[in-house]
Amino acid sequence: MPSANPLSKIIVLASVLAAGFLLIILSCALFNNWLPLLVVGVFLLAPLPNAICERYSNNDDFVSEGSGNAVVDFGRYITGFFVVTGLALPVALAHSRVIGLPAMIMSIAGGLLVYGTIITFTLFFSETEEF
């Protein structure tokens, strides 16, 4: 089975990313409250600790995979913190009645699309080192 063209992957990812941003912007514009736009910043920051910590991790061939690496684990922890914050922020705003329930649903769905697109992009186009 032939693999998909990289250009078609980029087009699909760009379409999903645009749909995610559209949902978040509509959750703000339709209800005239721009606080759900904070979700974009949180989800855009979420992959950064993971990428930075993987860059500075020790990639020693003699260390087994199961021994763990504190730097990579810390990056995953901070990334998880950002993802949970991105999901909990619209819920907290809806609970305090700052935004409505439809705005919360649209904001969470759009944020998940944005974060999922970023993660999928990094997985598709990451270079693997083979020895």
Side-chain angles (χ1 to χ4, degrees):
M1 174 186 262
S3 65
N5 186 8
L7 184 61
S8 65
K9 288 180 185 178
I10 291 175
I11 291 171
V12 169
L13 288 174
S15 301
V16 172
L17 184 67
F21 280 127
L22 179 68
L23 276 173
I24 293 172
I25 290 172
L26 282 177
S27 74
C28 298
L30 290 178
F31 305 104
N32 201 21
N33 188 349
W34 294 94
L35 282 175
L37 201 59
L38 294 172
V39 173
V40 173
V42 172
F43 278 115
L44 287 178
L45 287 176
L48 289 179
N50 215 6
I52 292 170
C53 291
E54 283 182 10
R55 174 80 176 158
Y56 289 108
S57 68
N58 185 11
N59 292 330
D60 192 8
D61 289 337
F62 300 112
V63 178
S64 65
E65 185 69 29
S67 67
N69 193 345
V71 176
V72 174
D73 290 341
F74 179 71
R76 289 179 183 157
Y77 176 77
I78 299 298
T79 297
F81 174 76
F82 279 131
V83 170
V84 170
T85 301
L87 293 173
L89 183 63
V91 173
L93 290 174
H95 178 73
S96 63
R97 303 208 190 275
V98 175
I99 64 173
L101 184 65
M104 177 194 77
I105 293 169
M106 290 171 66
S107 180
I108 289 174
L112 287 175
L113 284 175
V114 168
Y115 181 69
T117 303
I118 292 169
I119 293 301
T120 306
F121 181 81
T122 57
L123 289 176
F124 277 159
F125 299 105
S126 65
E127 295 179 9
T128 57
E129 295 180 10
E130 295 182 14
F131 296 101

